[in-house]
Amino acid sequence: MKSNQFDAIVVGSGISGGWAAKELCEKGLKTLVLERGRDVQHLKDYPTMTSAPWEMPHRNQIPREDKLENPVVNRCYAYKEDTQHFFVKDSEHPYVQEKPFDWVRGYQVGGKSLIWARQTQRWSKYDFEGPGRDGFAVDWPIRYEDVAPWYSYVERFVGISGSYEGLDTLPDGEFLKAWEMNCVEKEIQQRIKAVYDDRDVIIGRCAHLTEPKEVHLQQGRGQCMARNQCYRGCPFGAYFSSNSSTLPTAAKTGNLTIRPDSVVHSLIYDDQKGKVTGVRVVDRVTKESTEYFAAVIFLNASALNTNLILLNSTSKRFPDGLGNDSGILGKYVAFHNYRGVVNANYEGFDDKYYFGRRPTAVMMPNFRNVKKQEMDFMRGYMTFYSAGRAGFGHADAPFGAEFKEANSKPGPWSVYMMMQGETIPKESNHVSLSPDQQDEWGVPLLQINVGYDENDEKILRDFHEQGEEMLTKAGCINIRRGDSKQSPGLDIHEMGGVRMGRDPKTSLLNGFNQMHLAPNVFVTDGACMTSTGTQNPSITYMALTARAVDYAVKEMKKGNIG
């Protein structure tokens, strides 16, 4: 037992788990990080990071057999031959879809921080105030002012590129040099701003080092080369990941122990002591069971897996899952609605092109129901668009010099616009444990019952109408609406189930991500979210994690945790 004793345990090594490990280790705590997947080390374990398509057996395509065996992961935009080793195969990790749900997972050290889309926008005050103002979910126990200094703290370390705009709907952060819009994107921006007073069009904010600072160079990271091969693992460390940033920083303290291949079965609640004492683990390879012990535990296993672990953490005191006296554990799961797209063409600018493969799009903060309820639906959506020229290598011409000349020229300009809609947390959107099916490690399969509702359909219709109208006024032609009809989950932004709140009767966590009824357990991944906002969520997870660790360590020193 002594050899398995630590000051802190972190379950999961992804974006929030890596931050928990860094902060705990830097504050002097001997910290164990449990990761259910294999070990992946920066650079060493990025086998395709510099590979050309012709160096891959299937020219970076997925074989038909894999598509048939693993239909869910094959629907993910980032899953290809060069990245497949960072994704979970459906056939190896089953779950129960009570409603269609595409659960995209990455089980390895670093988790999905190796394959995330890297878009990082702060929440505004309106996002934290929304549930309380509009009467859905429960009121957030925190406000923007509580998180703002922690946004700044993590942004400086991560490295966020962006422009300073002074918008109250999308607060500025600590930015590196922003990426640039191309000529057509600027033209659309100017035309939209000339017509609409309530719509701000700005360049995206993303976790890419455009101009590395000393804090990034000390991490061994370098400048982004705009290659658009990020999901392979970046040889420059130019985008933020646990593997290139937080975990190496934690390791430098001498306080970090990482144990890969550790499937967390449940948390151990000691009924006599009246507290959580540790974690039950099943070795992924040997299936051997082990227990680890610590004074404080951070759950960062990813939103749905954190729900699973807590639901499976039963005891005499908590027969329905750890801290679940309220019965709401696993409920009020939400996500982002990505179904709507609008495509168009743009005439002119035939003598213009752009540099590289920029890792972010142009974005527009939500303009619906921001300060008050004004539509026939609740909440709203962010809008993203980009313009580009394709056509290289696809011209129809006779072989020879004419063919070479024709295929050396880009095609006409096209425009792609998409939505990122907020969904309303509902009790009916929930996860639970299968009563009769287990995985090979003896853990019950997760049953997922999450779907769209009429509010989501209304938001989709509004996006289509407004998107088409904006592109029309911006001078686009051949405008086409699209509905991917994709299942929830493919957004990879699932949130909730272990939400924050003010009252233990209606929430699982307090304003510091601490479990109301198990005070030495903290949840700072997507499971903690009370609502989803319209922004990409990862920078908020990071800020909440750093804030929660600061609080937890102070409480330990006071003797309130331990």
Side-chain angles (χ1 to χ4, degrees):
M1 181 174 176
K2 185 176 181 181
S3 63
N4 287 6
Q5 184 74 46
F6 296 85
D7 298 323
I9 294 174
V10 179
V11 179
S13 61
I15 281 175
S16 61
W19 264 98
K22 169 188 174 297
E23 295 299 298
L24 289 163
C25 288
E26 288 187 331
K27 293 181 186 299
L29 276 67
K30 295 295 183 181
T31 303
L32 171 66
V33 173
L34 296 170
E35 169 55 54
R36 67 173 297 154
R38 65 189 176 92
D39 190 19
V40 170
Q41 296 181 29
H42 182 53
L43 300 179
K44 176 177 176 288
D45 295 313
Y46 303 161
T48 63
M49 62 184 177
T50 58
S51 298
W54 54 85
E55 295 176 310
M56 302 176 208
H58 303 100
R59 305 299 187 265
N60 206 24
Q61 301 301 307
I62 295 294
R64 180 174 181 272
E65 293 77 11
D66 188 282
K67 292 181 179 179
L68 293 174
E69 290 179 6
N70 303 287
V72 170
V73 72
N74 269 281
R75 286 192 278 271
C76 178
Y77 62 91
Y79 181 75
K80 295 182 180 178
E81 188 173 27
D82 60 346
T83 62
Q84 60 182 332
H85 45 282
F86 291 145
F87 286 85
V88 163
K89 299 293 184 70
D90 311 0
S91 55
E92 297 172 359
H93 294 274
Y95 61 99
V96 180
Q97 298 185 56
E98 295 184 338
K99 291 181 180 178
F101 189 94
D102 291 339
W103 190 11
V104 179
R105 294 158 286 173
Y107 292 162
Q108 63 262 325
V109 170
K112 292 197 294 294
S113 76
L114 288 169
I115 50 177
W116 67 309
R118 308 167 307 283
Q119 305 308 296
T120 48
Q121 313 99 23
R122 292 188 179 197
W123 277 34
S124 75
K125 63 180 181 180
Y126 305 112
D127 299 294
F128 287 103
E129 294 169 0
R133 184 196 74 188
D134 296 340
F136 70 93
V138 296
D139 188 21
W140 276 88
I142 55 177
R143 290 295 185 264
Y144 174 74
E145 291 74 19
D146 297 309
V147 189
W150 296 100
Y151 276 134
S152 294
Y153 177 74
V154 301
E155 285 164 347
R156 286 191 291 266
F157 190 83
V158 168
I160 307 297
S161 64
S163 58
Y164 292 93
E165 304 288 347
L167 305 178
D168 62 350
T169 54
L170 203 68
D172 291 333
E174 311 291 331
F175 294 144
L176 305 176
K177 179 183 176 182
W179 294 89
E180 291 188 30
M181 299 184 201
N182 63 43
C183 55
V184 170
E185 293 166 344
K186 289 179 181 177
E187 182 73 10
I188 294 173
Q189 175 200 40
Q190 292 166 5
R191 293 197 181 194
I192 289 177
K193 291 179 74 171
V195 175
Y196 301 95
D197 293 331
D198 62 342
R199 306 187 190 185
D200 298 291
V201 181
I202 65 176
I203 190 64
R205 297 166 178 174
C206 59
H208 283 254
L209 300 181
T210 50
E211 291 182 339
K213 303 297 184 184
E214 182 61 28
V215 65
H216 309 122
L217 297 175
Q218 289 177 0
Q219 298 172 43
R221 301 168 61 200
Q223 183 172 336
C224 178
M225 299 297 171
R227 303 188 315 152
N228 192 29
Q229 295 178 350
C230 312
Y231 308 114
R232 300 177 174 191
C234 181
F236 311 103
Y239 76 77
F240 171 81
S241 71
S242 297
N243 307 65
S244 67
S245 183
T246 47
L247 291 177
T249 301
K252 288 178 183 178
T253 67
N255 292 325
L256 177 68
T257 300
I258 300 180
R259 191 184 193 280
D261 300 318
S262 299
V263 179
V264 171
H265 176 279
S266 54
L267 303 190
I268 303 167
Y269 187 84
D270 189 313
D271 286 297
Q272 291 184 337
K273 293 182 178 180
K275 68 176 184 177
V276 172
T277 56
V279 179
R280 297 184 185 91
V281 169
V282 180
D283 188 280
R284 181 179 68 88
V285 179
T286 67
K287 309 297 192 297
E288 179 183 351
S289 296
T290 312
E291 295 182 349
Y292 296 93
F293 306 93
V296 66
I297 295 167
F298 271 72
L299 272 180
N300 302 92
S302 80
L304 298 190
N305 271 322
T306 288
N307 275 272
L308 188 159
I309 291 169
L310 290 173
L311 286 166
N312 202 40
S313 300
T314 57
S315 60
K316 289 182 180 180
R317 171 65 183 86
F318 297 112
D320 299 317
L322 182 66
N324 193 27
D325 286 2
S326 63
I328 66 166
L329 177 61
K331 299 178 181 178
Y332 299 97
V333 173
F335 54 98
H336 277 148
N337 182 354
Y338 272 11
R339 282 170 49 188
V341 298
V342 181
N343 291 287
N345 295 102
Y346 207 95
E347 294 182 310
F349 297 97
D350 293 336
D351 61 339
K352 298 292 193 297
Y353 200 67
Y354 42 89
F355 168 78
R357 302 178 179 94
R358 191 186 62 208
T360 191
V362 182
M363 64 182 184
M364 183 187 305
N366 176 40
F367 55 88
R368 293 303 201 203
N369 301 321
V370 176
K371 299 179 180 180
K372 62 180 180 179
Q373 179 64 39
E374 53 194 358
M375 305 298 295
D376 67 342
F377 55 82
M378 299 187 74
R379 311 308 291 158
Y381 51 88
M382 276 192 75
T383 307
F384 299 83
Y385 76 82
S386 58
R389 301 182 72 177
F392 290 107
H394 296 284
D396 184 13
F399 283 107
E402 186 178 348
F403 178 86
K404 181 178 179 181
E405 179 68 20
N407 281 282
S408 298
K409 297 177 180 178
W413 288 91
S414 61
V415 179
Y416 174 82
M417 179 177 280
M418 60 170 282
M419 66 178 290
Q420 185 167 282
E422 181 168 357
T423 64
I424 305 303
K426 302 180 294 292
E427 187 173 12
S428 58
N429 276 353
H430 68 276
V431 297
S432 58
L433 302 184
S434 171
D436 55 10
Q437 297 183 74
Q438 296 183 340
D439 63 22
E440 59 182 287
W441 301 279
V443 179
L445 297 189
L446 192 67
Q447 299 178 150
I448 304 177
N449 192 317
V450 174
Y452 297 104
D453 62 12
E454 181 57 28
N455 197 73
D456 301 320
E457 301 294 338
K458 288 181 178 180
I459 285 180
L460 173 62
R461 288 195 291 271
D462 190 73
F463 164 76
H464 275 149
E465 292 168 1
Q466 295 303 307
E468 181 173 350
E469 179 182 289
M470 287 188 288
L471 292 183
T472 298
K473 293 182 182 298
C476 294
I477 61 172
N478 301 327
I479 300 173
R480 292 97 57 198
R481 301 181 183 186
D483 178 358
S484 69
K485 299 188 183 299
Q486 66 190 52
S487 299
L490 201 57
D491 51 287
I492 323 181
H493 286 180
E494 56 268 17
M495 295 175 243
V498 196
R499 69 185 181 188
M500 298 171 71
R502 303 178 187 276
D503 186 346
K505 295 180 180 178
T506 57
S507 62
L508 279 297
L509 309 173
N510 67 14
F512 288 97
N513 298 77
Q514 179 183 31
M515 293 200 77
H516 291 301
L517 303 181
N520 65 332
V521 177
F522 292 77
V523 176
T524 63
D525 61 14
C528 77
M529 301 295 277
T530 304
S531 59
T532 71
T534 59
Q535 298 88 327
N536 295 69
S538 297
I539 196 73
T540 298
Y541 302 163
M542 296 187 232
L544 291 176
T545 300
R547 179 175 180 267
V549 170
D550 182 72
Y551 173 80
V553 173
K554 289 177 179 176
E555 288 296 290
M556 292 175 74
K557 290 179 179 179
K558 294 176 183 177
N560 296 332
I561 296 176

